[in-house]
Amino acid sequence: MTITLRDVSKQFVRRSRVHRPLYRQVLGALHGHLQPEGTVALDGITLDIPPGSRVALVGPNGAGKSTLLRIIAGIIQPSRGAVTVRGKVACFFDAVAGGAPALRLEDNIWLYGALIGLTRREIARSIDDILDLAELRDHRDARVEQLSFGMAQRLFFAIMAQTMKLDKADVFLFDEWFTGVDQRFKQKGEDLIRRLALAERTLIYASHDLDLLTHLCPTAIYLRGGRMRMFGETQAVVEQYTADARAVA
Protein backbone atom coordinates (compact mmCIF):
# COMPACT_ATOMS: atom_id res chain seq x y z
CA MET A 1 0.00 0.00 0.00
CA THR A 2 1.11 3.57 -0.67
CA ILE A 3 -0.84 5.03 2.28
CA THR A 4 -1.78 3.14 5.43
CA LEU A 5 -3.63 4.64 8.38
CA ARG A 6 -4.41 2.70 11.53
CA ASP A 7 -6.82 4.12 14.13
CA VAL A 8 -5.72 7.67 13.35
CA SER A 9 -7.24 10.36 15.54
CA LYS A 10 -6.50 14.05 15.95
CA GLN A 11 -7.60 16.37 18.73
CA PHE A 12 -6.81 20.07 18.65
CA VAL A 13 -6.51 21.52 22.14
CA ARG A 14 -8.56 24.64 22.63
CA ARG A 15 -6.59 27.24 24.54
CA SER A 16 -8.35 29.70 26.81
CA ARG A 17 -7.22 32.96 28.34
CA VAL A 18 -9.15 32.09 31.51
CA HIS A 19 -6.97 30.10 33.91
CA ARG A 20 -8.35 28.29 36.92
CA PRO A 21 -6.61 28.87 40.26
CA LEU A 22 -3.66 26.58 40.84
CA TYR A 23 -5.31 24.77 43.75
CA ARG A 24 -8.27 23.83 41.50
CA GLN A 25 -5.92 22.51 38.82
CA VAL A 26 -4.05 20.41 41.42
CA LEU A 27 -7.29 19.01 42.88
CA GLY A 28 -8.57 18.25 39.41
CA ALA A 29 -5.39 16.37 38.51
CA LEU A 30 -5.48 14.38 41.77
CA HIS A 31 -9.05 13.27 41.13
CA GLY A 32 -8.52 12.57 37.44
CA HIS A 33 -10.81 15.39 36.34
CA LEU A 34 -8.22 17.54 34.60
CA GLN A 35 -8.79 16.91 30.91
CA PRO A 36 -7.66 19.26 28.13
CA GLU A 37 -10.53 20.92 26.32
CA GLY A 38 -10.39 20.51 22.60
CA THR A 39 -11.98 19.61 19.31
CA VAL A 40 -11.81 16.11 17.86
CA ALA A 41 -11.04 16.59 14.16
CA LEU A 42 -10.51 12.89 13.35
CA ASP A 43 -11.65 9.85 15.27
CA GLY A 44 -10.28 6.37 14.58
CA ILE A 45 -9.59 6.50 10.82
CA THR A 46 -8.30 3.22 9.37
CA LEU A 47 -7.50 3.16 5.63
CA ASP A 48 -5.45 1.34 3.01
CA ILE A 49 -4.86 3.26 -0.25
CA PRO A 50 -2.94 1.34 -2.92
CA PRO A 51 -0.57 2.90 -5.47
CA GLY A 52 -2.25 4.57 -8.43
CA SER A 53 -5.49 5.34 -6.59
CA ARG A 54 -7.51 8.47 -7.30
CA VAL A 55 -9.53 9.09 -4.15
CA ALA A 56 -12.06 11.84 -3.42
CA LEU A 57 -12.66 13.24 0.06
CA VAL A 58 -16.24 14.36 0.66
CA GLY A 59 -17.99 15.69 3.71
CA PRO A 60 -19.42 18.89 5.20
CA ASN A 61 -17.31 21.73 6.57
CA GLY A 62 -15.52 20.58 9.71
CA ALA A 63 -15.71 16.90 8.75
CA GLY A 64 -11.92 16.46 9.00
CA LYS A 65 -10.99 16.45 5.30
CA SER A 66 -8.23 19.05 5.52
CA THR A 67 -6.90 17.55 8.74
CA LEU A 68 -6.66 14.11 7.12
CA LEU A 69 -4.78 15.51 4.13
CA ARG A 70 -2.32 17.34 6.37
CA ILE A 71 -1.68 14.24 8.45
CA ILE A 72 -0.95 12.23 5.29
CA ALA A 73 1.36 15.04 4.15
CA GLY A 74 3.20 14.98 7.48
CA ILE A 75 2.38 18.63 8.21
CA ILE A 76 0.65 17.72 11.46
CA GLN A 77 0.96 14.61 13.61
CA PRO A 78 -1.97 12.48 14.79
CA SER A 79 -2.88 12.45 18.47
CA ARG A 80 -3.24 8.68 18.25
CA GLY A 81 -2.63 5.98 15.66
CA ALA A 82 -0.07 5.21 12.97
CA VAL A 83 0.44 6.66 9.48
CA THR A 84 2.67 5.17 6.78
CA VAL A 85 3.20 6.90 3.42
CA ARG A 86 5.54 5.31 0.90
CA GLY A 87 7.03 7.75 -1.59
CA LYS A 88 7.42 11.50 -1.92
CA VAL A 89 4.39 13.67 -1.25
CA ALA A 90 3.43 16.89 -3.06
CA CYS A 91 0.62 18.83 -1.40
CA PHE A 92 -1.39 21.70 -2.85
CA PHE A 93 -3.54 23.22 -0.15
CA ASP A 94 -3.30 27.01 -0.27
CA ALA A 95 -1.75 28.30 -3.45
CA VAL A 96 -0.82 31.75 -2.20
CA ALA A 97 0.81 30.33 0.95
CA GLY A 98 3.96 29.59 -1.01
CA GLY A 99 3.85 32.68 -3.18
CA ALA A 100 5.02 36.28 -2.92
CA PRO A 101 2.20 38.61 -4.05
CA ALA A 102 4.49 41.64 -4.44
CA LEU A 103 6.77 39.81 -6.91
CA ARG A 104 6.33 39.23 -10.63
CA LEU A 105 4.80 36.02 -11.98
CA GLU A 106 8.14 34.73 -13.19
CA ASP A 107 9.71 35.34 -9.77
CA ASN A 108 6.87 33.41 -8.17
CA ILE A 109 7.45 30.51 -10.53
CA TRP A 110 11.06 30.38 -9.34
CA LEU A 111 10.05 30.64 -5.69
CA TYR A 112 7.07 28.29 -5.67
CA GLY A 113 8.75 25.83 -8.03
CA ALA A 114 11.72 25.54 -5.67
CA LEU A 115 9.42 25.04 -2.68
CA ILE A 116 7.69 22.08 -4.30
CA GLY A 117 10.87 20.38 -5.46
CA LEU A 118 11.75 21.59 -8.97
CA THR A 119 15.44 22.12 -9.69
CA ARG A 120 16.82 25.38 -11.10
CA ARG A 121 17.24 23.78 -14.52
CA GLU A 122 13.71 22.36 -14.46
CA ILE A 123 12.25 25.73 -13.50
CA ALA A 124 14.19 27.60 -16.20
CA ARG A 125 12.99 25.16 -18.84
CA SER A 126 9.40 25.20 -17.55
CA ILE A 127 8.61 28.93 -17.25
CA ASP A 128 7.05 29.36 -20.69
CA ASP A 129 5.10 26.08 -20.42
CA ILE A 130 3.73 27.13 -17.02
CA LEU A 131 2.67 30.56 -18.25
CA ASP A 132 1.06 29.02 -21.34
CA LEU A 133 -0.89 26.47 -19.31
CA ALA A 134 -2.06 29.22 -16.95
CA GLU A 135 -2.92 31.39 -19.97
CA LEU A 136 -0.85 34.20 -18.45
CA ARG A 137 2.06 34.67 -20.87
CA ASP A 138 0.94 38.26 -21.51
CA HIS A 139 1.06 38.93 -17.75
CA ARG A 140 4.54 37.56 -17.02
CA ASP A 141 5.82 40.95 -15.82
CA ALA A 142 2.77 41.64 -13.65
CA ARG A 143 2.85 41.14 -9.90
CA VAL A 144 0.72 38.36 -8.44
CA GLU A 145 -1.17 40.90 -6.31
CA GLN A 146 -2.36 42.50 -9.57
CA LEU A 147 -4.06 39.28 -10.68
CA SER A 148 -7.58 38.22 -9.87
CA PHE A 149 -7.94 35.31 -7.45
CA GLY A 150 -8.85 32.97 -10.31
CA MET A 151 -5.79 34.02 -12.36
CA ALA A 152 -3.52 33.41 -9.37
CA GLN A 153 -5.07 29.97 -8.89
CA ARG A 154 -4.34 29.19 -12.55
CA LEU A 155 -0.70 30.21 -12.12
CA PHE A 156 -0.05 28.02 -9.10
CA PHE A 157 -2.03 25.13 -10.56
CA ALA A 158 0.21 25.29 -13.66
CA ILE A 159 3.32 25.12 -11.46
CA MET A 160 1.81 22.14 -9.64
CA ALA A 161 0.99 20.43 -12.93
CA GLN A 162 4.64 20.74 -13.91
CA THR A 163 5.63 18.67 -10.87
CA MET A 164 3.33 15.92 -12.16
CA LYS A 165 4.70 16.19 -15.70
CA LEU A 166 8.27 15.90 -14.40
CA ASP A 167 7.37 13.01 -12.06
CA LYS A 168 8.56 14.81 -8.92
CA ALA A 169 6.31 12.99 -6.43
CA ASP A 170 4.44 9.74 -5.85
CA VAL A 171 1.49 11.08 -3.86
CA PHE A 172 -0.41 14.26 -4.79
CA LEU A 173 -2.79 15.86 -2.29
CA PHE A 174 -5.27 18.58 -3.28
CA ASP A 175 -7.58 20.68 -1.11
CA GLU A 176 -10.22 22.70 -3.03
CA TRP A 177 -7.66 23.53 -5.71
CA PHE A 178 -10.02 24.82 -8.42
CA THR A 179 -11.88 27.32 -6.25
CA GLY A 180 -12.21 30.63 -8.08
CA VAL A 181 -11.41 29.44 -11.61
CA ASP A 182 -13.96 29.45 -14.41
CA GLN A 183 -15.63 26.26 -15.64
CA ARG A 184 -13.60 26.15 -18.85
CA PHE A 185 -10.25 26.17 -17.03
CA LYS A 186 -11.57 23.77 -14.40
CA GLN A 187 -12.36 21.30 -17.19
CA LYS A 188 -8.94 21.89 -18.70
CA GLY A 189 -7.27 21.20 -15.34
CA GLU A 190 -9.42 18.15 -14.70
CA ASP A 191 -8.47 16.66 -18.07
CA LEU A 192 -4.80 17.35 -17.41
CA ILE A 193 -4.84 15.71 -13.99
CA ARG A 194 -6.59 12.67 -15.44
CA ARG A 195 -3.89 12.32 -18.11
CA LEU A 196 -1.03 12.85 -15.67
CA ALA A 197 -2.38 10.60 -12.89
CA LEU A 198 -0.44 7.55 -14.03
CA ALA A 199 -0.76 4.08 -12.55
CA GLU A 200 2.07 4.55 -10.05
CA ARG A 201 0.86 7.95 -8.76
CA THR A 202 -1.67 8.30 -5.96
CA LEU A 203 -4.01 11.31 -5.91
CA ILE A 204 -6.34 12.40 -3.10
CA TYR A 205 -8.65 15.34 -3.75
CA ALA A 206 -10.86 17.12 -1.20
CA SER A 207 -13.60 19.35 -2.58
CA HIS A 208 -17.23 20.39 -2.27
CA ASP A 209 -17.52 20.16 -6.06
CA LEU A 210 -19.18 16.75 -6.24
CA ASP A 211 -19.35 16.70 -10.04
CA LEU A 212 -15.60 17.30 -10.25
CA LEU A 213 -14.91 14.52 -7.75
CA THR A 214 -17.21 12.09 -9.55
CA HIS A 215 -15.44 12.72 -12.87
CA LEU A 216 -11.94 12.71 -11.44
CA CYS A 217 -11.90 9.98 -8.78
CA PRO A 218 -13.29 6.42 -9.03
CA THR A 219 -13.13 5.94 -5.23
CA ALA A 220 -14.26 8.24 -2.41
CA ILE A 221 -14.03 8.62 1.35
CA TYR A 222 -16.98 10.17 3.18
CA LEU A 223 -16.08 11.92 6.45
CA ARG A 224 -18.56 13.37 8.91
CA GLY A 225 -17.78 14.57 12.41
CA GLY A 226 -14.22 13.30 12.12
CA ARG A 227 -15.31 9.72 11.44
CA MET A 228 -15.24 7.74 8.22
CA ARG A 229 -18.83 7.02 7.29
CA MET A 230 -18.18 5.31 3.98
CA PHE A 231 -15.34 4.26 1.66
CA GLY A 232 -16.20 2.97 -1.78
CA GLU A 233 -17.26 3.79 -5.34
CA THR A 234 -17.53 7.56 -5.73
CA GLN A 235 -21.06 7.74 -7.13
CA ALA A 236 -22.44 5.65 -4.27
CA VAL A 237 -20.52 7.70 -1.68
CA VAL A 238 -21.75 10.99 -3.16
CA GLU A 239 -25.35 9.74 -3.16
CA GLN A 240 -25.08 8.79 0.52
CA TYR A 241 -23.48 12.12 1.39
CA THR A 242 -26.15 14.16 -0.42
CA ALA A 243 -28.92 12.07 1.17
CA ASP A 244 -27.47 12.75 4.62
CA ALA A 245 -27.16 16.46 3.81
CA ARG A 246 -30.83 16.62 2.79
CA ALA A 247 -31.87 14.82 5.98
CA VAL A 248 -29.99 17.32 8.13
CA ALA A 249 -31.29 20.38 6.26
Side-chain angles (χ1 to χ4, degrees):
M1 295 295 170
T2 297
I3 301 170
T4 302
L5 292 87
R6 291 290 178 269
D7 194 30
V8 169
S9 298
K10 180 63 180 180
Q11 180 179 26
F12 292 101
V13 176
R14 186 167 57 248
R15 301 187 183 278
S16 173
R17 293 183 179 180
V18 179
H19 298 285
R20 295 187 301 171
L22 179 60
Y23 77 91
R24 288 187 177 275
Q25 296 185 45
V26 172
L27 289 175
L30 290 174
H31 291 89
H33 298 150
L34 189 60
Q35 299 293 333
E37 295 183 355
T39 300
V40 177
L42 292 175
D43 186 6
I45 304 297
T46 294
L47 276 173
D48 290 307
I49 301 177
S53 298
R54 283 181 287 153
V55 182
L57 272 180
V58 303
N61 290 331
K65 302 185 298 294
S66 295
T67 300
L68 180 58
L69 288 176
R70 282 155 177 77
I71 285 177
I72 293 172
I75 296 172
I76 59 177
Q77 296 299 311
S79 303
R80 186 184 74 239
V83 181
T84 302
V85 181
R86 294 176 175 83
K88 186 176 179 180
V89 177
C91 50
F92 307 98
F93 300 151
D94 183 355
V96 297
L103 297 183
R104 298 180 311 133
L105 270 61
E106 189 166 331
D107 296 326
N108 272 269
I109 293 173
W110 280 99
L111 176 62
Y112 199 76
L115 286 174
I116 59 178
L118 298 180
T119 66
R120 289 179 60 85
R121 178 176 293 183
E122 288 169 340
I123 295 171
R125 292 177 174 177
S126 299
I127 289 174
D128 287 341
D129 289 343
I130 289 169
L131 291 171
D132 285 342
L133 176 59
E135 302 171 4
L136 293 171
R137 185 185 278 264
D138 293 340
H139 296 78
R140 69 187 305 149
D141 292 324
R143 299 188 301 274
V144 168
E145 64 188 2
Q146 295 174 313
L147 303 179
S148 68
F149 179 76
M151 293 167 73
Q153 287 287 84
R154 283 168 19 207
L155 173 67
F156 292 107
F157 170 78
I159 302 171
M160 177 283 301
Q162 198 67 13
T163 68
M164 298 185 78
K165 290 180 182 178
L166 297 177
D167 203 22
K168 302 298 289 187
D170 306 290
V171 177
F172 292 86
L173 308 176
F174 300 82
D175 195 356
E176 294 286 4
W177 193 255
F178 287 120
T179 300
V181 303
D182 59 48
Q183 186 60 41
R184 181 192 58 79
F185 190 86
K186 183 186 294 186
Q187 185 62 54
K188 178 180 176 180
E190 178 186 332
D191 293 342
L192 180 62
I193 289 176
R194 189 182 290 109
R195 292 199 306 271
L196 294 176
L198 303 178
E200 65 274 14
R201 295 172 178 158
T202 300
L203 183 150
I204 304 178
Y205 202 118
S207 177
H208 290 288
D209 188 334
L210 301 181
D211 288 337
L212 172 68
L213 296 180
T214 302
H215 295 152
L216 195 60
C217 303
T219 307
I221 300 165
Y222 171 21
L223 297 178
R224 180 175 286 273
R227 296 184 177 182
M228 186 170 67
R229 300 296 186 182
M230 190 174 178
F231 182 26
E233 190 267 328
T234 300
Q235 187 61 48
V237 171
V238 166
E239 289 174 0
Q240 183 62 57
Y241 167 53
T242 53
D244 291 348
R246 286 195 298 269
V248 171

